[in-house]
Every structure is written in C-alpha cells, then in structure tokens.
Amino acid sequence: MAVQPVEARVYAKVVVIIATDMDIIEARREARRVAVDLGFRGSEPTLIATAVSELARNILVYAKSGSLTIDRIVRGPRTGLAIAAHDQGPGIVDVDLAMQDGYSTTKSLGIGLPGARRLLDEFEVRSQVGVGTTVNGVKWLP
C-alpha cells in the first residue's frame, strides 16, 4: 500500500505596514493567501480579504499609517484566522456611533467598521482619543 504524502502548510504570522494604497492591496492579498492556506474555501477567503481591506483603509484614512497582523488562531478544537489592525492615530471618540451603518466623519459611506464586523465571527474595537485604535477580529473555520 502506497503512503500518501502529507501536505505541508506553513503558518506564519504576517504583518503588513499600512502607509499607502498599495499596502492595502498587499494586506488583502496576504489575508486571502493565509485564509486559503488555513483551509477556508468558497467565498470565505474573499470575505476575509474584504474585511482586511476595510480595516486597512480605515488605518490609512484616519491615522495615515499603522499595521495589520494576520495570524492563525487555535482555541480548543477550533482553528481560525485572527486579524489585528493597529494605529496610533487620533482614536475614535464614540466607538458605538462609529459601529453604526452610515456613520462617517469623512463623508464616506460609513460601512467600513460595521461591514468588517459582519464579515467576521468575532470583532472588538478598542480606541483611545489621542492614542490610537486597535481592532481585533476572528474568522473561524467552519
């Protein structure tokens, strides 16, 4: 009986510095790549990439620069993809208001944070005015 080779997967934390539009594209590409490597299928990698794109765009628009981390997470029997977006920008004055569809301080559509929240299974925003904002999200494998 022939032994089937085991597919090797490398799970390494990916950090993308966000300072230009091209960095948003890179973050989106890396999120999709890691999602596929972890086993997400169908439309899931694209949905994850979209959430990452929204978070990266917020960093660029509101803070001008920051970082986005994409990593594997294991919690008990569950495996997923963890996303952390961090900046040292002006912070969010009212996080609850910022999480409402249509709210924006820059005349945008106001769907970035609420849209990213809908695409992920877990979502948390921590912000302090004058210090910066950190958004953590998780998408679990089905």
Side-chain angles (χ1 to χ4, degrees):
M1 181 170 166
V3 176
Q4 295 294 324
V6 176
E7 182 179 327
R9 288 193 174 142
V10 177
Y11 300 101
K13 180 186 294 188
V14 174
V15 178
V16 180
I17 302 302
I18 306 296
T20 69
D21 285 329
M22 292 304 295
D23 300 328
I24 296 170
I25 294 167
E26 179 66 16
R28 183 180 176 87
R29 181 176 27 246
E30 286 296 318
R32 190 174 201 308
R33 182 188 61 78
V34 172
V36 169
D37 285 351
L38 284 175
F40 286 96
R41 299 290 178 253
S43 63
E44 292 297 318
T46 300
L47 296 175
I48 291 166
T50 300
V52 163
S53 182
E54 293 295 338
L55 296 175
R57 171 72 50 202
N58 276 3
I59 289 172
L60 192 59
V61 168
Y62 295 103
K64 308 301 180 222
S65 66
S67 63
L68 201 136
T69 303
I70 306 159
D71 201 5
R72 175 185 185 215
I73 183 171
V74 177
R75 192 179 299 152
R78 299 168 72 186
T79 298
L81 185 138
I83 301 161
H86 178 72
D87 67 61
Q88 294 178 331
I92 301 170
V93 175
D94 186 337
V95 171
D96 291 334
L97 186 58
M99 293 304 300
Q100 292 180 17
D101 282 323
Y103 177 78
S104 175
T105 59
T106 60
K107 298 184 181 178
S108 70
L109 294 176
I111 58 174
L113 284 176
R117 177 184 58 195
R118 280 190 294 277
L119 295 172
L120 301 172
D121 297 321
E122 295 180 16
F123 195 83
E124 173 194 41
V125 178
R126 291 176 299 165
S127 190
Q128 186 175 352
V129 174
V131 176
T133 301
T134 299
V135 178
N136 293 302
V138 175
K139 183 67 174 178
W140 295 107
L141 278 166

